[in-house]
Amino acid sequence: MDNLQSIALAAGLGWASGIRLYAVLFIVGLVDKMGWANLPQSMHVLSHPLVMGATGFMLFVEFFADKIPGLDTIWDAVHTFIRIPAGAALAASMAGADSTVMTLVAGILGGAMATGSHVTKAGSRALINTSPEPVSNWTASLTEDALVVGGLWAMFTNPVIFLIGLGIFIILALWLLPKLWRALKSIFTRINHAFDGGTAAHNHAQSQSERKTDLIEKTI
């Protein structure tokens, strides 16, 4: 495995883990099982039948959970603490045990890629969920499925094409993330104002009722 392919695998595993962790684990295990790529010894555990059974089951669960509006955002929130460290660990394992420095560099690269892709995915889906119709949610989820599978295929078969595509994704993510943040912040602000307005109206009505009660008591 040359340096270019090692970089592509480390960055790619981190990036894909931030979107579909269990798909990555299952597909990498399948690739190793079938002998389609020469993976480091540290990754052979992913092709163990029990491990593939567990990752396959979680892949099945995530496939449907990610397509239910609202549940997908909860799923993303919980997996913030799973996808990012898993992406870093997978990337680090690509370096093998020969070089501590390269293992650390790969782990940092994979963790950064996992963070970027996860935040972009989670933010986009949270914004999409503000729409009442589910079609856009299903379309986004299926697009992510295809993106991860296609990205993993390119990562193993053509590292140069994959790295070019990953560079385009990074540029788009850097452009999109500030816009996502402003849009979500605006939505949360409106919700907060609506809640504060409802509370103020309730307090005003309660105050009016208390004043009427006091007036009646004084009249009596």
Side-chain angles (χ1 to χ4, degrees):
M1 186 179 297
D2 58 32
N3 291 333
L4 183 63
Q5 189 171 29
S6 296
I7 293 172
L9 288 174
L13 289 173
W15 164 79
S17 294
I19 303 173
R20 291 286 190 275
L21 172 61
Y22 303 113
V24 173
L25 295 173
F26 182 80
I27 291 173
V28 173
L30 182 63
V31 167
D32 185 65
K33 188 77 171 178
M34 302 302 293
W36 292 336
N38 183 25
L39 299 178
Q41 181 70 31
S42 56
M43 301 198 73
H44 291 343
V45 67
L46 294 178
S47 62
H48 190 283
L50 290 178
V51 175
M52 291 195 67
T55 56
F57 172 74
M58 291 305 298
L59 168 59
F60 177 82
V61 173
E62 184 171 57
F63 179 84
F64 291 100
D66 194 69
K67 290 167 180 61
I68 301 175
L71 179 59
D72 61 338
T73 296
I74 297 173
W75 185 270
D76 284 338
V78 172
H79 279 77
T80 300
F81 308 99
I82 301 174
R83 289 173 182 160
I84 295 173
L90 279 173
S93 68
M94 290 304 305
D98 298 331
S99 173
T100 303
V101 173
M102 291 308 298
T103 299
L104 181 60
V105 170
I108 293 172
L109 177 61
M113 291 295 101
T115 301
S117 60
H118 170 72
V119 171
T120 303
K121 168 194 160 36
S124 300
R125 298 297 289 278
L127 189 60
I128 289 172
N129 281 337
T130 60
S131 172
E133 49 78 29
V135 176
S136 56
N137 185 282
W138 299 337
T139 302
S141 183
L142 290 170
T143 301
E144 291 163 6
D145 293 334
L147 187 64
V148 167
V149 173
L152 291 175
W153 176 82
M155 180 185 73
F156 283 114
T157 60
N158 199 322
V160 175
I161 297 298
F162 172 76
L163 288 174
I164 292 173
L166 183 61
I168 294 172
F169 176 87
I170 292 171
I171 293 172
L172 290 175
L174 291 175
W175 173 80
L176 182 62
L177 283 173
K179 292 175 170 54
L180 287 175
W181 169 249
R182 287 194 294 270
L184 290 172
K185 185 178 179 181
S186 175
I187 291 170
F188 290 138
T189 299
R190 288 200 298 269
I191 292 173
N192 186 54
H193 284 169
F195 178 78
D196 289 343
T199 302
H202 174 74
N203 291 338
H204 178 71
Q206 186 176 14
S207 177
Q208 288 285 82
S209 176
E210 290 174 353
R211 282 198 293 269
K212 288 180 180 179
T213 301
D214 291 342
L215 181 61
I216 292 172
E217 291 178 348
K218 289 177 181 179
T219 304
I220 294 174

